[in-house]
Amino acid sequence: MDVTKQAMIRYLVRHGWKQQSSRDGRLIRLVLADDANRPPVNIFFSVDSVGADADGAEVAAAAETIQQIYGLSETALRANLVSLTFDKILATVPDDYLRHESIELRAARTYLNGMKGIIAASATTVLTGERSFRRTVKEAKDYADGCRFAHTFKGSFGLAIESPVGLNNQTIMPFAEADLPLGRKIVRRIAVGLQSLKDSYSQDDLGPIISTPEGLNANMCNELVGIIEGTGISRIDLSFVLSPEWEPDVPAPQPFKIESRYRDILKDAAARLTKADNDADVSIFGRIVNLHNVGDPSDLMSDDADRIIQVNWDSPEHGVIKVSVSLDPASYLAAVEAHKQGSPISIQGRLQRKGRSWALLGAKDIRTISV
């Protein structure tokens, strides 16, 4: 069973077993003594690992005991243990779309690729704060690749995705909040975003989606549209099972149905979020590749002169782009000096795309960077 000894101990403690340590500190004993008609049950774990095989043998022996006491199958026990270290996104396909208890591979592949994209897009926003981007950051892709496709569950045709969050081993003061793992932030953003989608649809207004910064981004909206259009399934029921190790006092996310009726509003939201992101304040960094001044070169301080520079910027979202920046006289002089020295500069402003060109509006805080 692919679970750790620590997860097994945490599971037993949560189910009322008492944890004790030997005098020499080399053994941990878990005791269950809640039945007067049955002698206490003991499970032992060594503190000092002697290798993966030894740990595996201890976990396997403990699992066999737990299955007998609680009448659990190995699959059911694994699901309970996994629930401590993973957040799960469960998808159920209506029976109308099943043929001999199966669905088309095309539909399953489209759903899984779409959910992988949603997880990676959610992770990118968690890591960068951007709600629209052309390139998913590497760390987000790596996290999505590290999620697991679990066994389908009984009752209907189900697809389960497990997002790793780990055990909560933080020592938190009463007045402080736990530092949530990346996996929890990713799944929470997905759940919050889907709720805002439901609210936007019921209100016939994009407001809830746009005004929920911890919710959907443009890329997540596009991935949802891809699932709706690519699977050919008009409704997929989603539910969330979150690890009790993190935010135990926070209510569980509400179930959601991915339905074809959401397609148009998702497209509108993606367009709005992309536009809002393109006009967002950014800080560009790079070398000046062009200087342009239509006024008198001997009088750069003339107020009516048009002073424009172009900067090569390696944007994490758009790749290498050339950004035009209109500057006031003092900033232009600083840019001229930086260009003479061959030094890169940084400038803050509002990035805007016009066709194939990029411009930085409201430029401020120009700085020469020493390299």
Side-chain angles (χ1 to χ4, degrees):
M1 183 174 292
D2 57 340
V3 297
T4 65
K5 185 160 53 177
Q6 186 182 20
M8 183 73 78
I9 293 172
R10 192 71 59 88
Y11 174 83
L12 291 169
V13 171
R14 284 184 175 275
H15 282 75
W17 293 61
K18 303 300 182 183
Q19 180 176 338
Q20 301 171 344
S21 297
S22 62
R23 290 185 177 180
D24 59 7
R26 299 179 63 182
L27 284 178
I28 294 175
R29 180 174 72 169
L30 281 301
V31 184
L32 179 65
D34 61 352
D35 191 340
N37 299 319
R38 182 182 61 194
V41 179
N42 297 295
I43 294 178
F44 293 92
F45 294 100
S46 59
V47 174
D48 299 325
S49 297
V50 190
D53 292 341
D55 282 355
E58 291 182 359
V59 169
E64 183 176 353
T65 300
I66 294 170
Q67 288 173 234
Q68 292 175 357
I69 291 176
Y70 295 111
L72 297 173
S73 66
E74 181 178 349
T75 300
L77 176 58
R78 179 194 177 276
N80 290 340
L81 290 166
V82 164
S83 69
L84 295 178
T85 55
F86 289 84
D87 287 342
K88 292 194 280 190
I89 304 174
L90 309 179
T92 305
V93 177
D95 292 340
D96 295 346
Y97 291 91
L98 302 185
R99 297 293 182 271
H100 306 292
E101 298 185 352
S102 66
I103 63 173
E104 293 182 358
L105 182 59
R106 168 182 61 84
R109 182 181 65 247
T110 300
Y111 171 77
L112 289 174
N113 286 340
M115 286 305 300
K116 178 182 175 181
I118 289 172
I119 291 170
S122 177
T124 296
T125 297
V126 170
L127 293 168
T128 69
E130 303 290 339
R131 294 188 74 186
S132 173
F133 40 87
R134 287 193 172 187
R135 295 190 297 179
T136 303
V137 299
K138 180 181 183 301
E139 294 83 357
K141 290 180 180 178
D142 291 344
Y143 185 86
D145 286 335
C147 291
R148 307 198 304 190
F149 178 42
H151 292 296
T152 54
F153 42 89
K154 295 181 179 180
S156 295
F157 189 89
L159 300 167
I161 294 175
E162 296 174 348
S163 173
V165 294
L167 295 173
N168 184 1
N169 295 319
Q170 297 180 22
T171 302
I172 303 298
M173 301 298 291
F175 54 82
E177 295 183 359
D179 183 15
L180 296 179
L182 176 62
R184 171 53 57 87
K185 294 177 182 178
I186 291 169
V187 172
R188 185 171 63 175
R189 174 173 289 276
I190 295 172
V192 170
L194 293 178
Q195 182 59 49
S196 72
L197 170 58
K198 185 188 299 184
D199 294 341
S200 282
Y201 184 85
S202 65
Q203 300 172 25
D204 193 22
D205 181 7
L206 290 177
I209 295 177
I210 305 302
S211 63
T212 306
E214 67 277 13
L216 296 175
N217 59 41
N219 302 64
M220 294 167 72
C221 291
N222 288 328
E223 293 288 357
L224 284 166
V225 171
I227 291 175
I228 292 170
E229 295 180 342
T231 59
I233 299 174
S234 62
R235 192 190 85 229
I236 300 176
D237 297 335
L238 291 186
S239 60
F240 299 86
V241 179
L242 303 186
S243 165
E245 290 284 301
W246 304 96
E247 300 181 298
D249 299 327
V250 175
Q254 294 297 309
F256 181 82
K257 302 181 190 302
I258 300 178
E259 299 179 89
S260 56
R261 61 181 176 144
Y262 292 127
R263 178 173 46 223
D264 291 341
I265 196 170
L266 282 167
K267 290 182 177 180
D268 291 343
R272 277 280 300 276
L273 288 167
T274 300
K275 180 179 179 181
D277 186 73
N278 285 342
D279 290 338
D281 284 341
V282 298
S283 179
I284 70 171
F285 169 84
R287 296 185 185 275
I288 299 170
V289 294
N290 191 18
L291 292 148
H292 179 70
N293 173 43
V294 299
D296 184 355
S298 64
D299 186 14
L300 292 178
M301 301 305 290
S302 175
D303 289 340
D304 58 357
D306 188 13
R307 297 161 297 271
I308 297 174
I309 66 172
Q310 288 185 318
V311 180
N312 266 1
W313 177 41
D314 188 3
S315 162
E317 294 80 32
H318 311 295
V320 178
I321 58 177
K322 187 178 294 183
V323 184
S324 296
V325 188
S326 179
L327 297 176
D328 60 62
S331 295
Y332 186 78
L333 286 174
V336 170
E337 188 62 28
H339 184 59
K340 287 180 180 179
Q341 298 173 3
S343 300
I345 64 170
S346 68
I347 318 176
Q348 292 184 0
R350 191 170 68 257
L351 185 66
Q352 185 179 77
R353 185 173 187 175
K354 298 179 180 179
R356 295 184 178 181
S357 302
W358 294 89
L360 192 71
L361 307 181
K364 58 186 178 181
D365 197 21
I366 180 171
R367 299 182 181 182
T368 302
I369 308 299
S370 298
V371 292

